[in-house]
Amino acid sequence: MTSSERAARTAGADGLCRSAYSAHDGPDVGVALIAAGGYGRGELAPYSDLDVVLVHDDGLDPGLLAQQVWYPLWDSGSRLDHSVRSLSQMTAAAQDDLKVALGLLDIRHLAGDPNLTLRLRATMLAAWRREARERLPALRVLVDRRHDVVGELAHVSVPDIKEAEGGLRDATVLKALETTWLVDVSSAELERSRQSLLDFRDLLHDQTQRPTDRVAPELWEPMAHALDLADAEAAQRHVRELGRRITHLSRLTWRRVDDMLTRPVSVRDARRPALEPIAPGIALARGEVVLDARARPDLDPSLLLRAAAEAAQRDAVLAPATAARLARESSALPTPWPAPARDALIRLLASGTGLLPVWETLEETGALAGFLPEWERIRMLPHASPIHRFTVDRHVVETCVEASALIRSVARPDVLLVAALLHDIGKGERTEHSVAGEPIARAIAARMGFDAEGVDLIALLVRHHLLLSEMATSRDPDDPTTIAGLLAHVPDAASLSLLLALTEADSRAASPQAWSTWRAGLVTRLARHALAAVGDDPAPPALSGDLLVPSVVEAGGVWVGVESDTAGTRVTVMAPDRVGLLADAAAVLALQRVPVHSARAWAQEGPSGPVGVSVWEVSDADLDPRVLRERLVALAEGRIDVGARLGRPAPGRLEPLVAVRSEASRSATVLEVRTDDRPGVVHRVCATLAALDLSVRSAHVATVGPQAVDVFYVQESGAGRLSDERASEAAHAVRRALSPGEGGTVPGTK
């Protein structure tokens, strides 16, 4: 049914009401017949309820007028939800009942005194706007309860196009929120989606010949014919995409409502929102991530991903207008991607629950297609298995959310997160989706700029993401043959740990039944047997350097070099080796507030003795090596108080973990440190070790999503590996130094 046909039906119903009213013998002034919509019983369609109210001025007795109006309507066979109320009774009912108030925001004059209808409408709108700040929290509770009971239109197996999240009720609520004048809603987009859902509901009523809002599975095929679509799947995609769009608008608008309700009322703030810079070219305004005046999307292909990552990590809104602008104006990402773009994607995927709303914005604005065009393969694709509670694309996002909680259990969190993103990319083909997805995932990972090892790992995980679960539940997990069969495909501990984490994330995202205690126990037992069979995953080997030693270093001085290219900036520090050199180099970068993506450090023999070398990969291209060198010398001479400048660590999402990996090296004791990524982490670790007179012979520093994953090869000064007692002492000291509060003071600093 078209909108014009529905308008004709509504006009017919209105005409029926007017005809009934015209036959009365009562007064015409101070009495009006109105139709109420909003949160009431529904629009005027053949199988919907008709919400009609006879309103009269206070003190005026309508007499037998009501019966003279209702009887003709009843005789016509119309389903009638009717009432007779005075103007003050209507106002009181709206004050007492939020649903009544919402219904009266959308009233239509049918017959009688039009001035009374105008007075009622003006009274209702004025009261709603005046009391909005007090009434919106109750409306939010009402909406959330309905969502919890009915589910989301885009995903439930039997959707209710009126009551479900993203349905017609939410469209009505959004119109009410916009009516408050406190927040903006994309009215045109909302109305298009609402009208399309109304069209679908009218066709559904025609198809079933009864007033229903629920779409049973057997109705999708006939509804596809009614909509002139190819098949039942196309009909599902059509309706669920409308629900997805309204859901996105609803979540975005409620976020803005929440921000508005918690923000102090200020005329100045309303007129000029403050911009808080949070990253180059990116700012925060009223809880939304936007671009600042210096942003140049045409020159920065990673800006979209960086803005999305900032929004997700801060649990802020990625402003749709910003995402749309970036989609239009951003230069195309080169192949392979530069490191900042890949790092931003990993941070986005590792952001936990903040990922979903940002990802929805990327989808709805078309920005997602710019860096991941393959997403269209699975967008709004229904799952064939009833165990899945979401469509394929939403399931993938939920898998990334679940995987973000497991990144501390694996050696390559970046690989885990991208494998979670791509594990179902092969669905929709006739070939088994894990087989079809492997070459697609391999090509995407290579385009993203992963090294050969990372590409192979991602491809392996996508190809075998069902293997561990299938073998654990269909075979004996304690049987050596089962273990050997698993190891034939996933032969090393690092891959097994990644596969276990991906299996858990995938299962948890599917449904609670998919990761029941029984299934989780079987999968974990098989994985542990396999890990025991291959041994622990070794830490990366210590690095050795053979860089040319500058003459200034041979003479006992310090040398700092800065190299910039399309992949970022590399800072190299060389000086005569000493305890605390790496801590000072890390402090220099921390004081400059330079984000460190990765670092390596080692000692090599020079003409005049051991030389300490560290190489830092950073994102800031505007670094002056002379300034860095001067600060490094000042630190060594004690002229800069690092502790006062950096302060104590702030509380973060991740509690610091420090593990002693005594088996990882024969010549040094390995400390593995995982904590929130924040300025000064490497400095705090190295300064703490230096205060214990311990030497860091090699360091491997990496930032993966929200956490720093750092490995330090530590030795006693001139004495090799640490004793068990010293290793424990070092681990506890580092943990204290990275913890917020009084225990976070770095030894040897003020």
Side-chain angles (χ1 to χ4, degrees):
M1 176 179 296
T2 64
S3 299
S4 59
E5 290 173 327
R6 187 185 322 103
R9 284 186 173 182
T10 302
D14 288 358
L16 184 64
C17 294
R18 294 189 182 100
S19 297
Y21 183 89
S22 64
H24 79 281
D25 297 326
D28 284 325
V29 178
V31 179
L33 189 66
I34 66 168
Y39 224 93
R41 297 298 299 274
E43 280 72 14
L44 300 177
Y47 301 102
S48 295
D49 298 303
L50 191 61
D51 304 342
V52 180
V53 184
L54 188 65
V55 186
H56 61 86
D57 270 326
D58 293 344
L60 180 66
D61 184 3
L64 298 177
L65 173 58
Q67 294 184 21
Q68 294 174 352
V69 173
W70 304 148
Y71 276 108
L73 290 173
W74 290 333
D75 292 341
S76 72
S78 299
R79 299 184 59 189
L80 184 65
D81 184 6
H82 65 284
S83 61
V84 180
R85 290 179 178 175
S86 68
L87 189 62
S88 61
Q89 288 175 330
M90 294 288 282
T91 304
Q95 185 67 37
D96 295 338
D97 191 330
L98 187 57
K99 292 184 179 180
V100 174
L102 290 171
L104 293 178
L105 293 176
D106 186 20
I107 61 175
R108 186 169 62 256
H109 179 75
L110 298 178
D113 186 350
N115 290 324
L116 180 60
T117 303
L118 288 174
R119 282 160 48 205
L120 175 61
R121 180 183 291 117
T123 300
M124 292 298 101
L125 287 173
W128 177 245
R129 288 165 182 154
R130 183 175 61 252
E131 301 166 359
R133 286 181 174 271
E134 290 73 35
R135 305 203 75 172
L136 288 183
L139 177 58
R140 179 65 180 270
V141 171
L142 192 69
V143 169
D144 288 345
R145 286 176 179 170
R146 174 168 51 81
H147 292 171
D148 291 340
V149 171
V150 186
E152 190 175 341
L153 174 56
H155 302 294
V156 292
S157 57
V158 182
D160 187 316
I161 60 174
K162 186 174 183 180
E163 303 290 346
E165 183 177 6
L168 292 169
R169 288 283 196 217
D170 278 348
T172 297
V173 170
L174 284 172
K175 293 174 69 176
L177 292 178
E178 189 173 40
T179 303
T180 65
W181 292 350
L182 296 174
V183 291
D184 292 326
V185 181
S186 180
S187 301
E189 186 176 357
L190 172 63
E191 189 60 19
R192 282 194 297 269
S193 299
R194 189 180 78 90
Q195 290 293 336
S196 295
L197 272 184
L198 287 172
D199 292 342
F200 180 85
R201 187 175 71 167
D202 289 342
L203 291 172
L204 179 65
H205 291 173
D206 288 344
Q207 183 68 39
T208 60
Q209 292 297 298
R210 59 189 176 89
T212 181
D213 295 310
R214 294 170 64 84
V215 189
E218 65 272 11
L219 291 174
W220 288 116
E221 192 66 41
M223 289 305 298
H225 293 304
L227 291 165
D228 198 23
L229 297 174
D231 51 28
E233 182 179 305
Q236 283 202 58
R237 283 177 179 260
H238 170 70
V239 173
R240 296 184 188 279
E241 189 155 356
L242 292 172
R244 171 84 60 89
R245 188 166 297 119
I246 293 176
T247 296
H248 174 65
L249 288 173
S250 177
R251 290 172 178 167
L252 176 64
T253 304
W254 276 114
R255 289 288 296 266
R256 290 171 171 169
V257 168
D258 292 342
D259 178 69
M260 178 272 304
L261 291 178
T262 57
R263 192 173 62 245
V265 179
S266 169
V267 175
R268 177 177 296 179
D269 288 346
R271 292 178 177 175
R272 179 182 291 181
L275 290 180
E276 176 191 347
I278 55 177
I282 304 170
L284 196 64
R286 291 181 178 173
E288 299 193 15
V289 170
V290 298
L291 301 182
D292 64 22
R294 298 171 299 171
R296 290 293 305 273
D298 56 325
L299 300 179
D300 187 354
S302 67
L303 187 56
L304 169 63
L305 284 166
R306 291 196 293 107
E310 291 290 343
Q313 287 189 304
R314 295 169 183 271
D315 197 21
V317 172
L318 175 61
T322 297
R325 178 191 169 190
L326 288 168
R328 291 191 311 269
E329 300 180 10
S330 291
S331 56
L333 281 165
T335 301
W337 290 7
R342 185 173 61 258
D343 293 341
L345 175 67
I346 300 304
R347 288 194 293 118
L348 172 62
L349 298 178
S351 58
T353 54
L355 171 64
L356 177 59
V358 172
W359 199 265
E360 287 180 344
T361 298
L362 293 173
E363 277 195 284
E364 292 298 325
T365 57
L368 186 58
F371 65 87
L372 192 60
E374 295 85 356
W375 188 258
E376 192 61 32
R377 300 169 55 92
I378 59 173
R379 190 169 190 269
M380 296 306 304
L381 181 65
H383 257 118
S385 171
I387 200 172
H388 282 277
R389 52 182 169 160
F390 299 117
T391 53
V392 175
D393 55 343
R394 173 66 179 276
H395 165 75
V396 165
V397 176
E398 292 289 338
T399 302
C400 292
V401 173
E402 296 290 347
S404 70
L406 304 173
I407 59 176
R408 313 189 83 184
S409 64
V410 297
R412 289 292 302 268
D414 54 340
V415 167
L416 172 63
L417 292 166
V418 173
L421 177 68
L422 303 178
H423 77 282
D424 276 348
I425 199 67
K427 286 200 169 180
E429 301 286 342
R430 295 184 178 181
T431 309
E432 167 60 38
H433 76 276
S434 59
V435 176
E438 178 186 4
I440 302 172
R442 182 180 291 277
I444 294 173
R447 185 175 76 229
M448 289 178 175
F450 278 90
D451 57 21
E453 179 187 6
V455 170
D456 289 342
L457 275 174
I458 291 169
L460 180 143
L461 292 172
V462 171
R463 174 64 180 87
H464 296 299
H465 72 271
L466 300 175
L467 179 65
L468 184 55
S469 179
E470 289 176 348
M471 294 190 74
T473 55
S474 63
R475 302 182 190 178
D476 182 358
D478 300 319
D479 190 332
T481 304
T482 304
I483 300 167
L486 174 60
L487 292 176
H489 299 288
V490 191
D492 58 83
S495 301
L496 283 166
S497 298
L498 285 164
L499 182 60
L500 175 60
L502 179 58
T503 301
E504 179 177 347
D506 186 17
S507 300
R508 288 184 181 277
S511 66
Q513 297 83 1
W515 194 247
S516 63
T517 303
W518 171 74
R519 291 178 68 91
L522 292 176
V523 169
T524 303
R525 193 158 81 225
L526 175 56
R528 285 177 177 172
H529 287 328
L531 285 167
V534 298
D536 291 332
D537 182 27
L543 292 174
S544 61
D546 55 357
L547 298 184
L548 182 64
V549 179
S551 58
V552 65
V553 177
E554 293 182 13
V558 176
W559 181 84
V560 177
V562 176
E563 301 174 80
S564 297
D565 55 32
T566 56
T569 301
R570 180 180 300 106
V571 178
T572 303
V573 177
M574 300 180 69
D577 197 23
R578 60 177 172 83
V579 172
L581 174 61
L582 187 60
D584 288 349
V588 167
L589 296 174
L591 291 172
Q592 293 283 104
R593 301 296 176 184
V594 175
V596 176
H597 300 301
S598 65
R600 298 172 297 152
W602 66 92
Q604 68 180 54
E605 285 300 321
S608 303
V611 175
V613 183
S614 58
V615 179
W616 309 78
E617 303 290 343
V618 302
S619 58
D620 195 336
D622 299 324
L623 293 176
D624 188 335
R626 293 171 298 179
V627 173
L628 298 179
R629 180 184 177 280
E630 289 173 2
R631 287 206 166 193
L632 188 58
V633 171
L635 279 170
E637 295 175 352
R639 291 186 280 115
I640 295 180
D641 185 350
V642 181
R645 295 283 188 91
L646 293 180
R648 285 183 282 190
R653 292 194 310 162
L654 304 175
E655 181 182 352
L657 296 177
V658 183
V660 178
R661 303 285 297 276
S662 57
E663 79 290 347
S665 173
R666 295 180 179 179
S667 60
T669 298
V670 175
L671 293 184
E672 184 177 273
V673 178
R674 297 188 180 216
T675 188
D676 269 324
D677 180 34
R678 56 196 174 197
V681 169
V682 178
H683 163 70
R684 285 185 169 274
V685 174
C686 293
T688 300
L689 296 174
L692 296 174
D693 199 27
L694 297 176
S695 176
V696 177
R697 307 308 302 167
S698 175
H700 308 256
V701 178
T703 300
V704 183
Q707 73 170 342
V709 183
D710 305 336
V711 176
F712 300 89
Y713 283 71
V714 183
Q715 292 179 334
E716 296 281 5
S717 295
R721 285 166 56 91
L722 277 60
S723 66
D724 291 344
E725 290 184 2
R726 284 281 278 171
S728 178
E729 179 187 8
H732 285 300
V734 169
R735 191 178 298 110
R736 285 195 303 270
L738 295 176
S739 299
E742 188 174 350
T745 302
V746 177
T749 65
K750 298 178 181 179

